[in-house]
Amino acid sequence: MPNRCLLSVAMIVKDEEHNIRRALESIKDVADEIIVVDTGSTDRTPEIVKEYTDKLYFHEWQNDFSEARNYSLKFPTCEWVMIFDADEEVREDFKGIRDFLKSLPPDVNTVYIPTISYLDWDFKRTEVASTPRIFRNGTVSYKNIVHNQAVYKPKVVNANFPLYHYGYIWTRKLKEKKYNRTRNLIIEHLNSFSKNPTDRIYYLIQLYKTEIIGGRPHQKNEVGWKILKELEKYREVPAIALEFLYIFGNECTSHGLLELAERLFNAGLRANINNPDFYLALLELYNQKDEIDKAIEYGEKFFEKLDYAQKNLDKFTWTLMSFKHIEHAHAVLAKNYLKKKNFEKFNFHVSKTIETVKDNTTAERLLTMLLQQITNTVESNDEYQKIIDSIEKIVIFSYEKSLRIYFDEILFVAAELSVKLPEPIAEKMNFRFDISRYIAKKMSDQRDYFIEFLLKEQNIEDFILDNGVGAFLLIYRLMKNTMSELEIIKAILKLRNIEDLKIKGITYALLGDLYLKLGNFKESISSYRNAIEILPEISMFIKPIVEDLKTRLDKDIDGSYEELVKYFSQSREFLFDLVKYIGEEQASKLHLLSDSSIAIYTSAIANTNRNPEKSLELLQKIDEKDINNLPFYYYRLAKLYEKKEKNLGKAFEYHIKACEQNEKLADIRLGKYIYDGFYPSKNPPFFKESDPIIWAGNISEKFSTLGIIHPVRCWKKGKKFIYCHPYPSDEALKVYKKREKEIFKNEFYKVGNENLIKVLSKLSIRELKVYPEENENDYESVFDELDIVLNNDSKNLLILNGVEQIEDLSELIRKYENVLIFYNVPDLKNREDEIWFYPPFRIFRTTAQLKEELNELGFKVEFVEILNKNLRFAFGKRKIKSS
């Protein structure tokens, strides 16, 4: 039948002038007639429609999409009717639908076709769902006020002729308009319709999806929990809920509710085992749980099911959202294969990630994740070589797309593993830090670029003038490592003409050293004399050199540099604080830029907190002959060993060595006393070498030891108490307390009035003997307030302080009936607890140890009060002897 009316297209529209021409232009050669129902357009939509069809009808909007859709179905006259929207289009291949329809037997009434929805303006991100769209005329009607559903007749077939949907790409104004309209309709309907549970779930899910589009997060999630509660009533998951389970399950994953997410995803799989969405969701879930094998298992299944879905789009009657995340699946699989050291699979999925990624933002996120995994995983040059092609692909892709991806960490790993990066690749790498460019250069030509990195674009004179004497002496040290004497002379000669007298005087002194090493004694002596004239304060270092040269012209005579360093550094750790100057991040990588001891040492310091193991490795790498130039070397070693519980003995030894190397480390806090070894100590009878060390350190970090107590100590755990070593003598403690009172206004760790009132007010004691007696007057107001009399013959002893110095309590408390004891206890797990550092404390009793000791001495501890972080109070009553 040549004039057979095969296919009608039915549309409902309103204010679609921005879309309608595209839709009509695409369908005009497929349809035999086009029916358009306008529900109230105020723009040019009707005028455009009239260019394509004369079957334009106007119908007042009733706030019900199904009502309008059913009205449009009154007018088609062809054998088949296709539902089509203004924000859709078809492509050239859709013309094949006509032959497909002609081939259908009479018992077929409904045809499902796929809809591919674009989600971004670049048309790269999509969702896919197959829905009923073509019906034998007169066999379909619609229900539901929004997201209307077709009520159709079997028999149903699927046809793989896709529609392309642009309705999810909105301007902000259009998005807000559509959101408000749809949300209000759904809520109104939910409040008014019958309590049919299936319908309720349907509309709640439509509301949930609407809130995702335009609502606030709390609105969306409130609806989500309602839906979940409704679904719990069902034994089987309805198809309408599959999309919700995927979206809400991912929300649970992102909030760390992994068990709930896993249940939701598995429920989705039970409902449809071929749905790729849930395999992708489980891939990400197991990736978060770091269950590598499961992540890989579900990742591989995802691609298997994805392939099936792509070949059978017409069989999926709900939206498939994983199509837009293929690159994510490849990246997460690559990450997990790398953790397994499966480099072949890693390389494959890196390539696929690059091939499938759709936008720069996603590319930056995924490729940065992969680069981070490489830095965390690759441990050898051999492993690096196995993935270097993937690194190269990421670098080139990033370079070509101008991505904001930084390759500093990858470069650092390569440098640590002595990998030779191809120069063209290194040149295409984008770096966050300046140091990275210089490390890349060093890796290429094996030159030391430390000085160039410090100077950057500055000349030496400006750098030194900006940063002072310390910077000058540092640059000179670096020059000595990499340049000849003549090259250094040429570099610093200009400094003779600057106005800064310190810089100028030091310049002449260093020129004297250089000429001395060259055997040019005349120039050497002349330079030294100029230095003394310009900067007399350094003459004490230079005159002895000049005097030596008068007696013997020997170029092996020591120059002035080392003495200048000691003088101007004032025993500071750094001549010039490189960590502060270049930042901790860059400083931690200096060892990759230069093999000089100062570079390695600075890197070690910068790594102290971020990577203590690396810090220790770097310190141990420094040549022994350079250690004397690093006055804090052993102190830094000791601090690292402090963090190792099994190496506290070494920490103690290195702290002693640090003080011997740098005498000023005996008084870090006050800076007044040097390490002279004169610290009266004794070997108490309870001391045992075998007692474990539980703390070691330099106590002068927090309290000056006032030149009388040893600045380095360890705390050992004995049976009765914790005690320190070296163990200060009684006389040393007296000297310390005397000096403490002279220097400091406040007495440390003195029991406060409020604490004394707190515990005494709980007891019915009316007289006391106070120990030590000299504290009586300090608390007179408290005793007056509580009406307590001080009496030397009292049977009640109050020990206000001193327990931390007393080895044996028996002599002190033997004649008393009640003992009231204030005592301090350190936090055994916190090595920064200040009371470890307080010099007069030489004994700590834990509460358990104090109770045991009092028990052995015939006292029962009635109660213990915790007064603050360290201070405790114990009340002991003498036990009544049984007759």
Side-chain angles (χ1 to χ4, degrees):
M1 296 174 60
N3 296 322
R4 177 184 180 187
C5 186
L6 179 68
L7 181 62
S8 298
V9 167
M11 305 175 68
I12 57 173
V13 300
K14 182 180 180 181
D15 292 337
E16 293 284 359
E17 67 176 352
H18 57 292
N19 277 325
I20 192 75
R21 188 178 299 281
R22 179 185 59 220
L24 293 172
E25 191 69 32
S26 74
I27 202 69
K28 67 179 184 180
D29 295 330
V30 180
D32 295 296
E33 68 175 358
I34 299 174
I35 312 296
V36 179
V37 171
D38 190 298
T39 60
S41 292
T42 58
D43 64 2
R44 294 184 62 254
T45 298
E47 298 172 34
I48 298 169
V49 170
K50 288 176 182 177
E51 296 177 26
Y52 293 89
T53 181
D54 58 357
K55 296 188 176 182
L56 171 64
Y57 304 91
F58 294 94
H59 182 68
E60 187 176 348
W61 176 243
Q62 305 293 323
N63 283 339
D64 188 332
F65 280 94
S66 291
E67 190 275 336
R69 188 74 75 190
N70 288 333
Y71 181 80
S72 74
L73 291 173
K74 293 180 179 181
F75 303 104
T77 60
C78 294
E79 183 179 351
W80 295 91
V81 180
M82 174 179 164
I83 303 302
F84 194 51
D85 287 331
D87 56 7
E88 297 175 332
E89 72 168 340
V90 296
R91 306 278 168 84
E92 186 67 25
D93 59 354
F94 195 78
K95 291 179 179 179
I97 196 71
R98 295 185 65 85
D99 290 336
F100 178 81
L101 293 174
K102 290 174 185 178
S103 70
L104 293 177
D107 62 342
V108 172
N109 289 300
T110 302
V111 180
Y112 272 68
I113 58 176
T115 300
I116 298 174
S117 296
Y118 290 116
L119 304 178
D120 63 353
W121 291 106
D122 296 325
F123 308 135
K124 291 179 178 179
R125 300 174 67 80
T126 61
E127 290 178 348
V128 181
S130 191
T131 56
R133 283 301 193 97
I134 302 176
F135 311 92
R136 201 174 289 278
N137 200 346
T139 66
V140 65
S141 63
Y142 277 82
K143 67 176 184 176
N144 299 333
I145 58 170
V146 292
H147 298 287
N148 44 97
Q149 284 185 300
V151 180
Y152 52 83
K153 291 182 178 180
K155 181 178 179 180
V156 175
V157 295
N158 298 296
N160 203 357
F161 297 97
L163 292 174
Y164 295 87
H165 177 226
Y166 298 88
Y168 293 151
I169 309 173
W170 300 314
T171 62
R172 280 179 295 175
K173 186 174 181 181
L174 185 62
K175 180 179 179 180
E176 183 180 359
K177 182 179 178 181
K178 186 164 184 175
Y179 163 72
N180 288 327
R181 181 184 65 183
T182 305
R183 183 176 187 271
N184 291 337
L185 282 172
I186 295 173
I187 291 174
E188 182 181 339
H189 194 64
L190 278 168
N191 291 335
S192 63
F193 80 119
S194 65
K195 301 300 181 181
N196 182 305
T198 305
D199 284 352
R200 179 168 177 77
I201 285 177
Y202 172 82
Y203 277 107
L204 280 172
I205 289 174
Q206 300 308 329
L207 180 58
Y208 181 75
K209 291 163 69 175
T210 301
E211 297 294 3
I212 290 174
I213 292 167
R216 295 178 179 273
H218 74 273
Q219 294 171 311
K220 171 196 69 176
N221 291 325
E222 284 171 6
V223 178
W225 289 112
K226 287 180 183 178
I227 296 169
L228 205 58
K229 191 173 181 179
E230 293 287 338
L231 287 174
E232 287 173 356
K233 302 173 185 177
Y234 282 78
R235 298 188 67 179
E236 294 184 1
V237 176
I240 186 64
L242 291 175
E243 186 178 352
F244 166 75
L245 289 178
Y246 174 77
I247 298 172
F248 195 73
N250 281 328
E251 192 83 38
C252 292
T253 299
S254 69
H255 283 78
L257 302 177
L258 301 184
E259 291 182 11
L260 176 57
E262 191 171 9
R263 290 201 302 272
L264 297 181
F265 298 147
N266 284 323
L269 282 182
R270 286 193 297 273
N272 189 289
I273 199 168
N274 288 317
N275 189 337
D277 289 358
F278 295 111
Y279 293 98
L280 176 66
L282 286 164
L283 162 64
E284 177 55 37
L285 183 143
Y286 289 123
N287 175 61
Q288 282 204 28
K289 293 175 77 172
D290 204 27
E291 294 185 23
I292 301 170
D293 291 332
K294 279 193 172 184
I296 289 172
E297 175 191 346
Y298 280 94
E300 294 293 358
K301 282 183 179 178
F302 165 70
F303 284 108
E304 176 189 324
K305 300 300 181 181
L306 183 71
D307 182 62
Y308 173 82
Q310 288 172 326
K311 292 174 181 175
N312 300 275
L313 287 177
D314 49 312
K315 294 183 180 179
F316 290 86
T317 60
W318 59 90
T319 301
L320 293 178
M321 288 169 285
S322 54
F323 278 49
K324 61 189 174 188
H325 297 305
I326 293 172
E327 71 279 14
H328 180 81
H330 280 301
V332 175
L333 262 179
K335 175 183 175 181
N336 283 278
Y337 274 123
L338 185 58
K339 289 181 179 179
K340 295 278 286 185
K341 301 293 181 81
N342 187 331
F343 301 111
E344 182 180 351
K345 286 281 192 179
F346 168 77
N347 290 331
F348 170 79
H349 285 287
V350 169
S351 296
K352 287 294 183 181
T353 302
I354 291 171
E355 286 174 23
T356 56
V357 73
K358 300 175 186 69
D359 61 84
N360 284 4
T361 301
T362 303
E364 288 166 0
R365 175 174 57 83
L366 295 179
L367 296 179
T368 298
M369 175 188 76
L370 291 175
L371 292 173
Q372 186 61 53
Q373 192 58 52
I374 292 171
T375 63
N376 293 340
T377 305
V378 175
E379 298 176 305
S380 68
N381 188 304
D382 180 58
E383 289 181 354
Y384 204 104
Q385 295 299 335
K386 289 177 180 177
I387 61 169
I388 200 165
D389 288 344
S390 288
I391 294 171
E392 185 172 343
K393 286 178 183 177
I394 294 172
V395 170
I396 292 172
F397 182 78
S398 175
Y399 180 79
E400 291 175 348
K401 297 288 185 179
S402 300
L403 301 182
R404 290 175 300 176
I405 292 178
Y406 299 103
F407 293 90
D408 304 77
E409 295 299 327
I410 286 292
L411 179 80
F412 299 152
V413 172
E416 293 278 11
L417 299 175
S418 302
V419 174
K420 179 75 172 175
L421 281 180
E423 194 169 342
I425 297 305
E427 289 175 353
K428 289 181 170 65
M429 285 180 166
N430 190 26
F431 297 124
R432 178 180 281 111
F433 301 111
D434 290 336
I435 196 171
S436 303
R437 290 187 294 109
Y438 292 97
I439 291 173
K441 288 181 180 181
K442 180 178 185 267
M443 291 171 69
S444 176
D445 60 23
Q446 300 304 304
R447 267 192 57 205
D448 189 311
Y449 284 93
F450 196 173
I451 294 176
E452 287 88 341
F453 166 61
L454 283 183
L455 297 180
K456 296 186 175 64
E457 305 302 323
Q458 277 187 306
N459 57 44
I460 290 178
E461 304 97 89
D462 290 340
F463 175 77
I464 291 171
L465 283 172
D466 287 345
N467 297 290
V469 172
F472 185 12
L473 295 173
L474 170 65
I475 284 288
Y476 181 78
R477 177 182 290 181
L478 297 177
M479 287 177 173
K480 286 172 66 179
N481 293 336
T482 57
M483 298 165 63
S484 69
E485 280 82 4
L486 284 173
E487 288 173 325
I488 301 173
I489 289 170
K490 184 178 179 182
I492 67 172
L493 272 174
K494 291 181 181 178
L495 294 170
R496 297 176 305 173
N497 301 318
I498 66 175
E499 294 181 4
D500 187 303
L501 294 182
K502 277 190 178 177
I503 302 295
K504 193 171 186 177
I506 292 170
T507 301
Y508 275 108
L510 297 178
L511 285 171
D513 288 355
L514 293 165
Y515 287 126
L516 178 60
K517 292 303 175 189
L518 289 171
N520 188 338
F521 302 114
K522 183 179 178 182
E523 286 291 342
S524 176
I525 292 170
S526 174
S527 297
Y528 282 140
R529 285 174 174 163
N530 284 330
I532 293 170
E533 184 179 343
I534 294 165
L535 194 61
E537 65 184 279
I538 62 173
S539 62
M540 58 183 147
F541 313 131
I542 296 174
K543 281 183 178 179
I545 303 172
V546 175
E547 293 300 321
D548 283 348
L549 287 173
K550 286 180 181 178
T551 58
R552 58 188 176 97
L553 297 177
D554 183 355
K555 64 180 182 179
D556 290 329
I557 291 173
D558 291 335
S560 63
Y561 175 73
E562 298 300 336
E563 295 296 336
L564 290 171
V565 168
K566 288 179 184 177
Y567 178 70
F568 284 106
S569 70
Q570 298 294 315
S571 294
R572 293 193 304 268
E573 182 164 16
F574 293 107
L575 280 168
F576 174 59
D577 193 341
L578 281 170
V579 177
K580 184 177 179 180
Y581 181 69
I582 63 177
E584 188 178 276
E585 188 75 39
Q586 294 194 106
S588 70
K589 305 302 177 186
L590 271 177
H591 65 287
L592 301 175
L593 179 66
S594 171
D595 296 326
S596 67
S597 61
I598 191 63
I600 296 171
Y601 183 77
T602 304
S603 270
I605 303 317
N607 274 293
T608 299
N609 294 321
R610 60 176 57 218
N611 188 348
E613 292 297 328
K614 186 66 182 178
S615 181
L616 184 59
E617 175 195 326
L618 290 168
L619 286 178
Q620 292 172 333
K621 187 178 175 183
I622 293 174
D623 195 311
E624 197 170 336
K625 64 181 174 58
D626 292 328
I627 290 175
N628 284 336
N629 294 322
L630 303 168
F632 281 70
Y633 175 82
Y634 289 111
Y635 175 74
R636 288 293 184 175
L637 261 185
K639 294 297 289 180
L640 286 169
Y641 278 114
E642 282 180 20
K643 299 179 181 182
K644 296 170 169 285
E645 194 172 326
K646 294 180 180 178
N647 293 103
L648 289 173
K650 270 195 171 182
F652 178 73
E653 292 172 14
Y654 279 125
H655 270 302
I656 298 286
K657 202 165 185 178
C659 290
E660 291 171 348
Q661 180 198 27
N662 181 357
E663 294 168 352
K664 288 187 177 288
L665 289 174
D667 193 9
I668 297 170
R669 184 69 173 178
L670 202 59
K672 183 177 180 180
Y673 301 92
I674 64 166
Y675 187 77
D676 60 8
F678 192 82
Y679 307 110
S681 302
K682 64 179 182 177
N683 289 319
F686 48 80
F687 177 85
K688 289 183 181 178
E689 286 288 349
S690 59
D691 282 343
I693 297 175
I694 61 171
W695 189 95
N698 185 323
I699 61 175
S700 78
E701 290 174 5
K702 300 196 178 194
F703 293 96
S704 173
T705 62
L706 305 182
I708 196 64
I709 292 176
H710 203 294
V712 177
R713 75 168 38 161
C714 64
W715 287 94
K716 298 171 75 74
K717 189 171 185 180
K719 184 178 179 181
K720 291 183 64 175
F721 37 61
I722 299 164
Y723 60 93
C724 73
H725 172 73
Y727 192 84
S729 68
D730 296 345
E731 190 171 8
L733 294 180
K734 288 179 183 178
V735 173
Y736 180 89
K737 295 304 287 184
K738 180 175 182 292
R739 291 179 181 178
E740 185 183 51
K741 286 181 181 179
E742 292 170 352
I743 295 173
F744 304 109
K745 292 181 180 178
N746 299 318
E747 189 177 344
F748 297 107
Y749 297 104
K750 181 181 178 182
V751 174
N753 285 5
E754 70 283 359
N755 288 320
L756 187 56
I757 291 172
K758 183 176 182 180
V759 295
L760 290 182
S761 62
K762 293 182 179 182
L763 300 169
S764 57
I765 290 176
R766 290 291 168 259
E767 64 171 27
L768 288 169
K769 162 69 176 171
V770 173
Y771 175 89
E773 289 186 21
E774 59 262 28
N775 285 155
E776 288 182 3
N777 294 336
D778 296 339
Y779 300 97
E780 188 175 350
S781 62
V782 173
F783 300 133
D784 286 345
E785 179 181 344
L786 298 175
D787 199 18
I788 292 175
V789 176
L790 300 185
N791 180 357
N792 286 337
D793 296 324
S794 174
K795 293 298 182 181
N796 305 313
L797 176 65
L798 171 63
I799 304 176
L800 281 164
N801 62 57
V803 172
E804 295 82 10
Q805 285 92 33
I806 302 171
E807 302 158 16
D808 186 357
L809 291 174
S810 61
E811 282 299 312
L812 181 61
I813 69 174
R814 61 184 175 82
K815 65 179 184 179
Y816 296 95
E817 296 298 325
N818 298 306
V819 289
L820 298 78
I821 304 175
F822 285 93
Y823 64 105
N824 284 282
V825 181
D827 182 342
L828 300 180
K829 297 298 182 183
N830 178 15
R831 66 154 285 97
E832 294 302 317
D833 192 337
E834 283 197 350
I835 70 170
W836 292 117
F837 295 80
Y838 188 47
F841 287 172
R842 61 184 184 182
I843 286 174
F844 291 128
R845 292 169 173 87
T846 66
T847 297
Q849 287 173 330
L850 179 66
K851 289 172 75 174
E852 177 65 24
E853 186 174 357
L854 289 175
N855 182 61
E856 290 177 0
L857 295 174
F859 288 84
K860 179 187 176 184
V861 175
E862 296 290 325
F863 70 90
V864 172
E865 183 94 12
I866 299 173
L867 298 170
N868 61 35
K869 183 167 68 81
N870 300 117
L871 186 63
R872 310 284 185 268
F873 171 82
F875 176 62
K877 184 180 284 290
R878 185 172 292 280
K879 290 182 283 189
I880 300 173
K881 294 180 181 179
S882 57
S883 58

